[in-house]
Amino acid sequence: MLGSANCSLVIVGAGGFGREVFDIVVAMNEAGAQLELDGYVDDAPGADRLLDALGTRRLGPVRALADRVFVLGIGSGDLRQSFDERLTAAGCRPATLVHPSATIGGENRIGEGCIVAAGARVTTNITLGRHVDLHVNATVGHDSLLDDFVSVYPGGTVAGNVHLARGATIGTGATVLPGVSVGVGAMVGAGAVVVKDVDAHATVAGSPARPTRR
């Protein structure tokens, strides 16, 4: 379900990224979308004051959500996968949100539940899997494949012909050079420059990026 269509929406997760998703919804509505935000679900009430300041509210814990349209405002790919499985089993459907200041080129495929934040750039012939998050000013180059639950954090740069496997995370300001593959669940640290393939579940940091202990 594309977020530019009319729908009533619940955001899952009231942490920092979840509240950034609120701003994407507002910007989309200002650009002509008709998204009605019903509120948030979160298992912890700690963000209630911050939600009040935004003019929205916490509806209750995640388990209370059923048969609704949702978006996962959660930074962790593992947690997004877990919540997606639970909510889909409860009859919920994911929305896809694209900030109006993002640029989406031709011949791209954007999966259900993706969030493309302000200033993100998606060039051409790119596939984004289910619940991929491209944070503020992230860039994805031509002919790249980002599998389900991938995260590219603010300012991350993914060059052309890159494969980011399921649940991989590209840290803030990191760069993945052309033709590189990043394995399942791997973590690329902030500011790293990835010049060769990264193994599944590895953590790499530095320039050039090298494995480190997680």
Side-chain angles (χ1 to χ4, degrees), residues 2 11 13 30 40 45-46 59 85 91 98-99 106 108 117-118 120 123 129 137 139 144 147 177 203:
L2 188 64
I11 298 173
E30 289 175 347
Y40 284 74
L59 303 171
E85 291 170 354
V98 179
H99 194 285
N108 292 309
T123 63
N137 295 328
T139 301
S144 289
D147 291 343
L177 294 187
T203 296

Side-chain angles (χ1 to χ4, degrees), residues 160-164 176-182 194-198:
N161 291 297
V162 165
H163 178 208
L164 304 182
V176 182
L177 294 187
V180 169
S181 293
V182 178
V194 181
V195 301
K196 62 182 181 180
D197 292 354
V198 176

Side-chain angles (χ1 to χ4, degrees), residues 5-175:
N6 300 351
C7 74
S8 177
L9 181 68
V10 175
I11 298 173
V12 179
F17 183 58
R19 285 178 279 113
E20 289 180 356
V21 173
F22 178 91
D23 292 332
I24 297 174
V25 172
V26 170
M28 290 178 66
N29 284 338
E30 289 175 347
Q34 298 182 41
L35 302 174
E36 180 181 348
L37 179 61
D38 289 341
Y40 284 74
V41 291
D42 196 299
D43 292 337
D48 285 359
R49 179 183 58 80
L50 294 170
L51 296 181
D52 288 344
L54 292 175
T56 186
R57 60 187 177 134
R58 189 175 70 94
L59 303 171
V62 177
R63 65 176 179 273
L65 195 62
D67 195 28
R68 300 292 299 275
V69 177
F70 72 95
V71 62
L72 296 174
I74 298 169
S76 164
D78 287 343
L79 287 177
R80 290 204 303 279
Q81 180 175 351
S82 175
F83 281 119
D84 180 47
E85 291 170 354
R86 289 169 55 186
L87 293 171
T88 301
C92 297
R93 292 90 60 204
T96 300
L97 302 183
V98 179
H99 194 285
S101 72
T103 59
I104 309 293
E107 300 300 320
N108 292 309
R109 294 155 293 282
I110 299 178
E112 290 185 320
C114 287
I115 298 174
V116 182
R121 305 287 181 251
V122 179
T123 63
T124 188
N125 191 35
I126 292 162
T127 297
L128 304 182
R130 187 177 179 89
H131 294 289
V132 169
D133 286 351
L134 302 182
H135 290 241
V136 172
N137 295 328
T139 301
V140 181
H142 62 86
D143 306 306
S144 289
L145 170 61
L146 280 61
D147 291 343
D148 298 349
F149 309 108
V150 161
S151 303
V152 183
Y153 284 173
T157 299
V158 177
N161 291 297
V162 165
H163 178 208
L164 304 182
R166 187 183 187 94
T169 298
I170 308 303
T172 300
T175 299

